[in-house]
């Protein structure tokens, strides 16, 4: 059986207009397999019922969870987790989860430019960005030598 968490890192939430070092971050957790990630998420649901997924995590290859800091007396440094499986760390899955994380951290439940960031809209956007990013990298890695050889 694979180890539960094979790597950890911090992904900082950066406001491009803010000065100084970013203070808030997501904890990035890389799991040994999708089965281990899903077991972790089910355990998180059991401990924190307000975070519970409706899908039960049956097809999940990655996750971005925001802790909902609006209700806390002060802003915590860790605002959520991003969970990935080591077998599925491709451009599509990573960009998909980063879209979720960025939207949750910057506009949880707010309207921006006429769009209300809801879970349904957020999922559609994350799938689209993930798919477009994966298409780009499939093309880029296939043509990398030819592209790098082009004159600038």
């Amino acid at each position: 059986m694979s180890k539960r968490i094979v790597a950890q890192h911090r992904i900082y939430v950066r406001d491009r207009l803010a000065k100084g070092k970013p203070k808030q971050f997501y904890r990035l957790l890389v799991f040994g397999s999708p089965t281990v990630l899903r077991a972790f998420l089910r355990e998180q649901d059991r401990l924190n019922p307000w975070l519970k997924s409706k899908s039960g995590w049956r097809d999940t290859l990655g996750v971005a969870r925001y802790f909902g800091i609006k209700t806390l007396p002060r802003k915590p440094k860790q605002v959520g987790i991003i969970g990935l499986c080591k077998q599925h760390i491709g451009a599509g899955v990573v960009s998909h989860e980063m879209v979720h994380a960025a939207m949750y951290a910057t506009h949880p439940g707010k309207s921006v430019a006429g769009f209300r960031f809801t879970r349904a809209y957020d999922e559609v956007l994350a799938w689209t960005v993930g798919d477009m990013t994966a298409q780009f990298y499939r093309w880029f890695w296939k043509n990398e030598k030819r592209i790098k050889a082009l004159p600038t």
Side-chain angles (χ1 to χ4, degrees):
M1 177 147 160
S2 55
K3 277 176 68 177
R4 188 172 173 98
I5 296 172
V6 297
Q8 294 187 52
H9 186 63
R10 288 182 177 186
I11 302 290
Y12 285 91
V13 178
R14 295 189 176 142
D15 179 341
R16 68 181 186 90
L17 302 176
K19 304 251 190 278
K21 185 179 176 187
K23 293 177 178 56
Q24 294 184 310
F25 66 91
Y26 279 89
R27 178 153 320 274
L28 173 66
L29 304 172
V30 180
F31 292 87
S33 73
T35 304
V36 175
L37 168 66
R38 293 171 192 147
F40 171 82
L41 292 170
R42 283 190 295 275
E43 179 65 12
Q44 291 291 304
D45 284 351
R46 190 182 68 72
L47 296 172
N48 308 297
W50 64 90
L51 290 174
K52 192 167 184 157
S53 165
K54 292 180 181 140
S55 71
W57 308 110
R58 61 187 161 267
D59 298 325
T60 301
L61 299 176
V63 67
R65 276 203 150 163
Y66 182 71
F67 294 153
I69 62 173
K70 292 188 297 187
T71 59
L72 300 176
R74 63 180 181 84
K75 287 187 175 181
K77 289 185 178 185
Q78 182 180 342
V79 296
I81 63 164
I82 298 168
L84 301 169
C85 302
K86 75 176 187 179
Q87 302 92 327
H88 299 282
I89 300 181
V93 172
V94 172
S95 64
H96 176 108
E97 298 310 333
M98 295 303 167
V99 167
H100 285 306
M103 288 179 66
Y104 298 154
T106 57
H107 298 94
K110 296 179 184 172
S111 288
V112 176
F115 290 103
R116 177 110 179 130
F117 288 117
T118 64
R119 282 190 177 194
Y121 174 74
D122 156 52
E123 188 64 23
V124 170
L125 178 63
W127 272 105
T128 304
V129 171
D131 181 58
M132 292 169 71
T133 304
Q135 288 176 59
F136 167 78
Y137 277 105
R138 278 194 299 271
W139 167 81
F140 178 77
W141 295 124
K142 191 175 177 182
N143 296 287
E144 178 185 18
K145 288 180 183 173
R146 185 174 58 82
I147 293 166
K148 288 186 174 180
L150 292 173
T152 52

